[in-house]
């Protein structure tokens, strides 16, 4: 059965001191050997190394929020997958709505990044999600299909073992407006069916699909309790241990 993954996307938040305090609190609450669920945090680049050191030996792994697809070289301001791996990261979040809609990343760019991350043996958390206008126009599933097709172009069945999908409806991100459990389950079931159609029933059964968008302690259990929701990608509520830990505990309590 799919193991829950609770991931915290810190986005462009925190400073060294607050990032380390948060990392240490999470590490203390998630000791090594407790493998009921997977826990990951994605700090800003400058804090990857100290956060990795702060969670060493615990059940908390570290991921990056982005990566560049080129090999190391003359790309001012970019960060290679090699460097991210060198910092001890296990995964990279790609295709986040803020990178799509604020930084202008296309499915083609995201796909190059997916391939670059997999080539270095790291996991990918591939985010997909519709705008409010897409939902209102009844286009949610078409948008998800397009993003899945574009982001996963050329990715083999074998490589899918390293991919986690995160469904993040853009209208629910940072707005306090969460998708209802029914809306989340419907999108997740659609995504799982997409995986079955484009890969195999086995890939559909084993690929984790996280929900993201205003996940909080008081809605986490209901969202993650849906049959096709395999964890959460948490933004704002991942910045404070008193909010993130109850979300982790909710997943532990649901462990199937
Ligand atoms: P919020 O939890 O702040 O809505 O952010 C969700 C998100 O974008 C996680 O990647």
């Amino acid at each position: 059965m799919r193991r829950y993954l609770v991931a915290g996307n810190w986005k462009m938040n925190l400073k060294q001191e607050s990032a380390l305090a948060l990392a240490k609190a999470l590490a203390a609450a998630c000791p090594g050997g407790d493998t009921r669920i997977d826990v990951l945090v994605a700090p800003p680049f400058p804090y990857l190394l100290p956060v990795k050191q702060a969670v060493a030996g615990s059940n908390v792994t570290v991921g990056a929020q982005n990566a560049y697809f080129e090999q190391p070289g003359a790309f001012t301001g970019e960060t290679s997958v090699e460097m991210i791996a060198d910092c001890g990261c296990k995964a990279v979040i790609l295709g986040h709505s803020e990178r799509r809609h604020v930084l202008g990343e296309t499915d083609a760019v995201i796909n190059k990044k997916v391939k670059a991350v997999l080539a270095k043996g790291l996991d990918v958390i591939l985010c997909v999600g519709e705008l409010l206008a897409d939902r209102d126009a009844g286009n949610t599933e078409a948008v998800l299909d397009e993003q899945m097709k574009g982001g996963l172009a050329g990715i083999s069945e074998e490589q899918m073992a390293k991919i986690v999908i995160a469904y993040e409806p853009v209208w629910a991100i940072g707005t306090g407006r969460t998708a209802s459990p029914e809306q989340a389950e419907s999108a997740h079931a659609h995504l799982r069916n997409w995986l079955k159609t484009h890969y195999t029933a086995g890939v559909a059964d084993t690929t984790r699909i996280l929900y993201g968008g205003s996940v909080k302690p008081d809605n986490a259990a209901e969202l993650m309790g849906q049959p096709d929701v395999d964890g959460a990608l948490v933004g704002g509520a991942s910045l404070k241990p008193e909010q993130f830990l109850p979300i982790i505990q909710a997943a532990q309590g649901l462990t199937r």
Side-chain angles (χ1 to χ4, degrees):
M1 198 54 196
R2 299 178 298 270
R3 184 153 56 172
Y4 281 104
L5 167 60
V6 176
N9 175 7
W10 294 358
K11 308 193 179 184
M12 197 173 75
N13 291 301
L14 304 176
K15 292 178 76 175
Q16 191 166 182
E17 198 180 334
S18 50
L20 286 182
L22 174 57
K24 284 178 190 161
L26 298 178
C30 303
D34 181 354
T35 53
R36 281 175 291 172
I37 68 161
D38 293 328
V39 179
L40 178 137
V41 292
F45 282 126
Y47 309 137
L48 285 180
L49 260 183
V51 166
K52 173 67 195 160
Q53 284 157 7
V55 300
S58 78
N59 191 39
V60 180
T61 56
V62 179
Q65 298 175 20
N66 182 32
Y68 197 46
F69 51 77
E70 291 285 2
Q71 296 297 317
F75 300 100
T76 302
E78 293 297 331
T79 305
S80 73
V81 179
E82 204 163 59
M83 293 165 189
I84 291 166
D86 195 31
C87 289
C89 288
K90 294 279 174 253
V92 182
I93 297 172
L94 294 174
H96 192 278
S97 78
E98 288 141 24
R99 299 219 54 93
R100 291 177 187 268
H101 300 295
V102 183
L103 283 305
E105 286 192 14
T106 61
D107 284 320
V109 166
I110 294 161
N111 181 243
K112 283 188 187 181
K113 293 184 171 190
V114 169
K115 288 174 175 162
V117 169
L118 294 178
K120 295 289 178 211
L122 272 62
D123 293 347
V124 168
I125 300 177
L126 175 65
C127 305
V128 295
E130 81 287 1
L131 296 164
L132 185 57
D134 298 323
R135 176 162 284 267
D136 287 346
N139 289 337
T140 296
E141 293 183 353
V143 168
L144 297 182
D145 291 353
E146 188 71 21
Q147 292 176 346
M148 291 287 279
K149 186 171 158 223
L152 295 174
I155 300 304
S156 69
E157 178 184 348
E158 202 174 50
Q159 287 175 306
M160 285 304 294
K162 303 283 286 176
I163 302 229
V164 171
I165 305 295
Y167 170 60
E168 297 210 315
V170 182
W171 47 271
I173 295 177
T175 58
R177 187 180 159 190
T178 319
S180 68
E182 295 73 26
Q183 285 172 321
E185 172 57 23
S186 163
H188 282 231
H190 178 79
L191 289 166
R192 202 172 300 289
N193 196 47
W194 189 96
L195 291 169
K196 189 174 169 192
T197 310
H198 292 80
Y199 289 95
T200 60
V203 168
D205 276 349
T206 50
T207 302
R208 291 186 288 191
I209 307 177
L210 314 182
Y211 170 78
S214 297
V215 176
K216 306 281 179 229
D218 63 0
N219 60 25
E222 201 181 2
L223 285 161
M224 292 191 288
Q226 301 303 308
D228 287 296
V229 179
D230 308 312
L233 181 54
V234 187
S238 74
L239 299 173
K240 293 187 176 146
E242 64 271 24
Q243 291 190 15
F244 197 44
L245 286 173
I247 297 172
I248 291 172
Q249 284 152 4
Q252 287 169 338
L254 288 163
T255 288
R256 21 192 198 211

